[in-house]
């Protein structure tokens, strides 16, 4: 933690991070302050950049699935599903309807786990540790369900190219329904807490407000956008997997402040519970997977999925070999990061963790690039990297 | 401070006792996928509740006895990991949680990954898994505490 306050010509800059008590992931923030009031903010990302997009180019289509799933541990199913849907589209494979419905089921269970996780972390940032402990205790219910469903609590690997691995047995179906009913009752309680608790409302109502115009201009996605009244949900706009058969009701709020984001996310939980019930009731019979070729036909495609945090976007290009030629990933947190910088101005420094947590940031998702600097601190360009590689090869 | 030999022995015994009963841990993510991080957080919450062992997760390296590392070490995070480690007071211990922290895991060969955690700082306990279950993380911490026990006491029976 670097808490040193740097003075720069009457401007105080408070650097926070990359290791900091608020979040569990590395990210660096610099807040310019006038007394307690924040007058400017900058974000520096890239600490968790590993170079996954480049690495998949040297792995085959199946190996890439497991690597891409590990972009993010919280929404791993979303990454694997986006990739699988794209590759299946390229290969022209017909995925059985039961597999598509199971993908939706796992995705909604994952949304439940992610939103409950966020609820706890955001409450913790507000100093409301009781809600943190309660919501994480209840989250264990859905973690148990995911574990008995797929075999792992995190990084489920439910997807394979051409379908899914795991099936819903009658025992599991009744366990899921029971767990979901318990969570629905608890979520009702949480909705009541975040909208009526006076102390908590002081931290959320009117804090970090983002109007609909600003949200649209910044290209904000997911629950952060829906809390500002922007009706944007890939599950509705471009239904994928089995979402065309299991339609989703959009959850919107108008206020655009932190309270609205809490309300939208908790109301989305109810929508997920309803969807889980519906999928289990109407689960189509049939096969779980279809056979996929080892080499994927040449071509390029895009694939979009609504992750718990917003739209996940994949560009996939194949040259007909057994390795992908290029995969580009754009994750929701990167789209939402601009809103933190925009809404931070004018608030107290103490509100910064809450405003940051309000977009549900996931740094391992958004660290897709890195700025390379040489020993002197100058930015290294793509061209100079290329020259360096050529020189290196010549010396060999 | 010099208290003389006897006093120092007594002080050391008190310090060891305190350390065993209340290790404070700090968590650093050097490029992990988040999976291990949420499992570490889960160990703090009611079902697993590591606070019953006196373990407390807190923010400053200056207060910490144990550093829990997750993820492969990326180029950008390497210096920060070293800095956090150097800021911790002696004696300090490191737990590497997850396959990536142990061997680089799925991220072996990525261009921005320097390597695993023990290429950068010394590691005392390794907890394998992708991600390890919260029970495994608790077991790792308890094993570390067992290692710190003074040698005079009989070795603890291993719990499987």
């Amino acid at each position: 933690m670097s808490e040193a306050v740097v003075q720069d010509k009457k401007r105080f800059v408070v650097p926070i991070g990359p290791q900091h008590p608020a979040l569990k992931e590395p990210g660096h923030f610099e807040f310019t302050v006038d007394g307690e009031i924040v007058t400017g903010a900058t974000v520096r990302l890239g600490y968790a950049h590993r170079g996954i997009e480049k690495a998949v180019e040297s792995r085959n289509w199946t190996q890439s699935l497991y690597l891409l799933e590990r972009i993010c541990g919280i929404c791993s199913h979303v990454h694997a599903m986006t990739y699988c849907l794209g590759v299946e589209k390229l290969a022209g494979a017909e995925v059985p309807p039961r597999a598509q419905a199971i993908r939706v089921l796992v995705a909604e269970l994952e949304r439940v786990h992610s939103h409950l996780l966020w609820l706890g972390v955001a409450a913790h940032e507000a100093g409301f540790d009781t809600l943190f402990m309660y919501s994480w205790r209840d989250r264990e219910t859905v973690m148990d369900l995911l574990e008995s469903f797929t075999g792992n609590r995190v990084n489920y690997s439910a997807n394979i190219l051409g379908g899914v691995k795991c099936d819903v047995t009658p025992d599991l179906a009744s366990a899921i329904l029971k767990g979901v009913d318990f969570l629905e009752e608890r979520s009702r309680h949480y909705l009541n807490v975040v909208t009526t608790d006076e102390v908590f409302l002081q931290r959320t109502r009117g804090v970090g407000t983002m109007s609909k115009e600003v949200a649209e201009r910044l290209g904000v996605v997911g629950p952060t956008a829906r809390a500002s009244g922007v009706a944007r949900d890939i599950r509705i706009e471009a239904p994928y997997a089995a979402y065309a058969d299991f339609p989703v009701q959009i959850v919107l709020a108008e206020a655009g402040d932190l309270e609205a984001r809490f309300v939208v996310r908790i109301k989305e939980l109810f929508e997920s519970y309803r969807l889980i019930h519906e999928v289990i009731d109407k689960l189509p019979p049939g096969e779980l997977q279809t056979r996929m070729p080892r080499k994927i036909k040449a071509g390029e495609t895009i694939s979009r999925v609504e992750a718990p945090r917003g739209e996940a976007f994949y560009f996939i290009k194949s040259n007909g070999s057994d390795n992908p030629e290029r995969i580009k990933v754009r994750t929701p947190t990167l789209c939402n990061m601009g809103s933190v910088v925009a809404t931070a101005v004018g608030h107290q420094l103490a509100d910064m963790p809450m405003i940051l947590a309000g977009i549900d940031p996931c740094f391992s998702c958004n660290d897709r690039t890195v700025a390379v600097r040489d020993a002197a601190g100058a930015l290294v360009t793509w061209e100079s990297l290329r020259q360096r590689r050529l020189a290196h090869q010549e010396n060999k | 401070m010099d208290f003389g030999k006897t006093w120092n022995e007594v002080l050391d015994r008190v310090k060891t006792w305190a350390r065993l009963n209340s290790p404070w841990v700090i968590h650093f993510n050097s490029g992990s996928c988040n999976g291990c991080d949420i499992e570490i957080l889960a160990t703090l919450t009611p079902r697993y509740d590591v606070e019953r062992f006196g373990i407390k997760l807190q923010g400053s390296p200056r207060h910490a006895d144990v550093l829990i590392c997750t993820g492969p070490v990326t180029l950008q995070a390497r210096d920060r990991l070293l800095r956090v480690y150097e800021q911790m007071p002696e004696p300090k211990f490191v737990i590497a949680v997850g396959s990536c922290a142990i061997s680089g895991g799925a991220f072996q060969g990525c261009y921005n990954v320097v390597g695993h955690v023990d290429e950068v700082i010394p590691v005392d306990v390794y907890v394998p898994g992708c991600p390890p279950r919260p029970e495994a993380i608790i077991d790792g911490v308890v094993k570390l505490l067992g290692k710190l026990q003074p040698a005079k006491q009989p070795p603890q029976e291993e719990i499987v």
Side-chain angles (χ1 to χ4, degrees):
Chain A
M1 181 170 52
S2 55
E3 281 180 324
V5 178
V6 183
Q7 188 174 16
D8 170 31
K9 291 181 192 167
K10 288 185 184 172
R11 230 166 39 103
F12 278 96
V13 179
V14 185
I16 299 176
Q19 197 281 329
H20 43 97
L23 296 161
K24 297 297 153 221
E25 294 180 87
H28 180 79
F29 304 90
E30 279 181 5
F31 297 110
T32 319
V33 291
D34 178 14
E36 272 291 304
I37 306 297
V38 173
T39 55
T42 53
V43 184
R44 186 183 158 192
L45 304 170
Y47 291 99
H49 174 73
R50 292 147 293 190
I52 294 176
E53 286 176 23
K54 189 72 191 164
V56 291
E57 291 169 19
S58 58
R59 285 158 164 82
N60 69 30
W61 291 98
T62 311
Q63 289 168 331
S64 298
L65 170 63
Y66 295 95
L67 187 58
L68 288 168
E69 189 166 30
R70 278 158 183 77
I71 284 180
C72 174
I74 302 178
C75 47
S76 62
H77 177 74
V78 162
H79 283 280
M81 181 163 65
T82 322
Y83 171 72
C84 285
L85 289 170
V87 175
E88 285 151 10
K89 210 194 291 177
L90 269 182
E94 280 289 318
V95 179
R98 188 176 177 87
Q100 298 284 34
I102 287 175
R103 279 179 181 169
V104 169
L105 185 60
V106 181
E108 290 307 317
L109 285 170
E110 187 179 64
R111 197 180 311 277
V112 171
H113 123 70
S114 177
H115 280 1
L116 283 173
L117 175 142
W118 172 82
L119 178 66
V121 172
H124 172 70
E125 304 304 351
F128 194 1
D129 269 1
T130 316
L131 183 56
F132 169 46
M133 291 295 171
Y134 270 120
S135 69
W136 277 62
R137 185 199 68 181
D138 296 336
R139 177 177 161 271
E140 289 297 329
T141 314
V142 69
M143 298 305 275
D144 284 347
L145 293 177
L146 281 166
E147 190 185 7
S148 47
F149 196 170
T150 63
N152 204 4
R153 286 163 53 91
V154 182
N155 294 340
Y156 330 105
S157 287
N159 285 286
I160 52 170
L161 290 174
V164 289
K165 268 183 211 164
C166 41
D167 200 2
V168 183
T169 59
D171 281 354
L172 182 68
S174 64
I176 290 177
L177 293 182
K178 208 173 135 196
V180 162
D181 287 342
F182 165 73
L183 286 174
E184 191 165 357
E185 189 194 317
R186 294 297 304 169
S187 307
R188 207 158 277 136
H189 172 64
Y190 296 141
L191 186 61
N192 188 28
V193 169
V194 301
T195 50
T196 55
D197 189 293
E198 277 298 324
V199 181
F200 194 62
L201 283 177
Q202 299 249 333
R203 297 297 308 273
T204 58
R205 189 168 281 174
V207 175
T209 311
M210 183 167 50
S211 68
K212 191 175 176 181
E213 291 70 36
V214 174
E216 275 174 350
R217 185 165 51 81
L218 292 172
V220 171
V221 295
T224 317
R226 295 195 280 275
S228 293
V230 182
R232 190 176 285 166
D233 190 326
I234 306 298
R235 292 175 292 173
I236 297 160
E237 286 170 2
Y240 52 90
Y243 280 108
D245 305 330
F246 302 105
V248 184
Q249 292 290 318
I250 198 160
V251 180
L252 284 176
E254 294 301 323
D257 58 358
L258 282 172
E259 190 200 356
R261 294 179 197 170
F262 273 93
V263 172
V264 163
R265 286 203 174 87
I266 294 177
K267 283 188 176 165
E268 272 183 20
L269 284 176
F270 295 122
E271 193 55 28
S272 292
Y273 301 144
R274 186 191 62 75
L275 213 60
I276 291 168
H277 267 278
E278 206 177 307
V279 173
I280 286 188
D281 287 345
K282 296 185 196 159
L283 200 62
E287 291 291 309
L288 285 182
Q289 29 193 271
T290 173
R291 204 173 156 74
M292 287 283 283
R294 194 168 57 86
K295 292 181 176 177
I296 305 296
K297 273 186 282 188
E300 52 186 68
T301 186
I302 58 160
S303 171
R304 300 194 297 163
V305 162
E306 184 75 15
R309 290 162 182 73
E311 175 190 348
F313 175 98
Y314 271 51
F315 167 79
I316 301 167
K317 187 176 180 190
S318 168
N319 54 8
S321 72
D322 47 11
N323 290 2
E325 182 167 306
R326 175 83 175 98
I327 291 183
K328 166 85 190 97
V329 181
R330 196 192 65 175
T331 56
T333 306
L334 194 61
C335 309
N336 289 342
M337 210 42 109
S339 76
V340 173
V341 178
T343 52
V345 176
H347 286 97
Q348 297 211 340
L349 193 59
D351 285 329
M352 288 308 116
M354 277 295 277
I355 289 176
L356 185 60
I359 66 161
D360 197 359
C362 173
F363 291 86
S364 56
C365 271
N366 73 17
D367 287 351
R368 298 266 65 84
T369 55
V370 67
V372 184
R373 286 173 197 280
D374 60 13
L379 207 61
V380 178
T381 61
W382 186 250
E383 181 57 28
S384 74
L385 276 176
R386 203 175 71 88
Q387 294 298 339
R388 203 179 290 189
R389 176 164 161 264
L390 291 175
H392 177 72
Q393 278 173 343
E394 266 172 31
N395 290 340
K396 249 184 184 172
Chain B
M1 269 188 282
D2 188 26
F3 293 107
K5 200 175 163 236
T6 330
W7 269 109
N8 272 339
E9 273 177 12
V10 173
L11 268 179
D12 279 351
R13 231 179 289 160
V14 172
K15 275 192 228 164
T16 312
W17 170 81
R19 194 168 291 128
L20 285 174
N21 285 292
S22 173
W24 281 23
V25 299
I26 179 174
H27 167 226
F28 187 74
N29 169 343
S30 57
S32 150
C33 76
N34 250 337
C36 299
D37 308 353
I38 58 177
E39 293 297 68
I40 287 170
L41 264 190
T43 59
L44 297 172
T45 53
R47 174 163 318 170
Y48 302 102
D49 193 19
V50 280
E51 282 187 12
R52 65 202 149 110
F53 299 115
I55 297 166
K56 185 168 181 277
L57 188 74
Q58 49 75 60
S60 170
R62 302 275 187 210
H63 302 157
D65 303 303
V66 182
L67 174 64
I68 297 188
C69 287
T70 54
V73 184
T74 64
L75 267 176
Q76 293 240 28
R78 185 180 175 277
D79 292 350
R80 278 79 187 182
L81 177 61
L82 273 173
R83 207 182 302 164
V84 167
Y85 182 71
E86 276 160 14
Q87 282 174 354
M88 287 168 61
E90 290 282 352
K92 49 197 170 189
F93 309 95
V94 178
I95 303 180
V97 170
S99 309
C100 311
I102 294 173
S103 69
F107 304 116
Q108 272 172 0
C110 290
Y111 67 79
N112 211 41
V113 171
V114 182
H116 35 96
V117 171
D118 70 2
E119 288 177 19
V120 182
I121 53 174
V123 176
D124 297 276
V125 175
Y126 299 87
V127 184
C130 186
R133 297 178 57 83
E135 290 94 329
I137 297 172
I138 296 174
D139 190 42
V141 177
V142 172
K143 283 243 165 70
L144 177 73
L145 295 184
K147 208 171 141 183
L148 304 185
Q149 299 265 355
K152 273 180 280 177
Q153 291 177 11
Q156 275 195 332
E157 209 171 313
E158 193 146 306
I159 303 153
V160 182

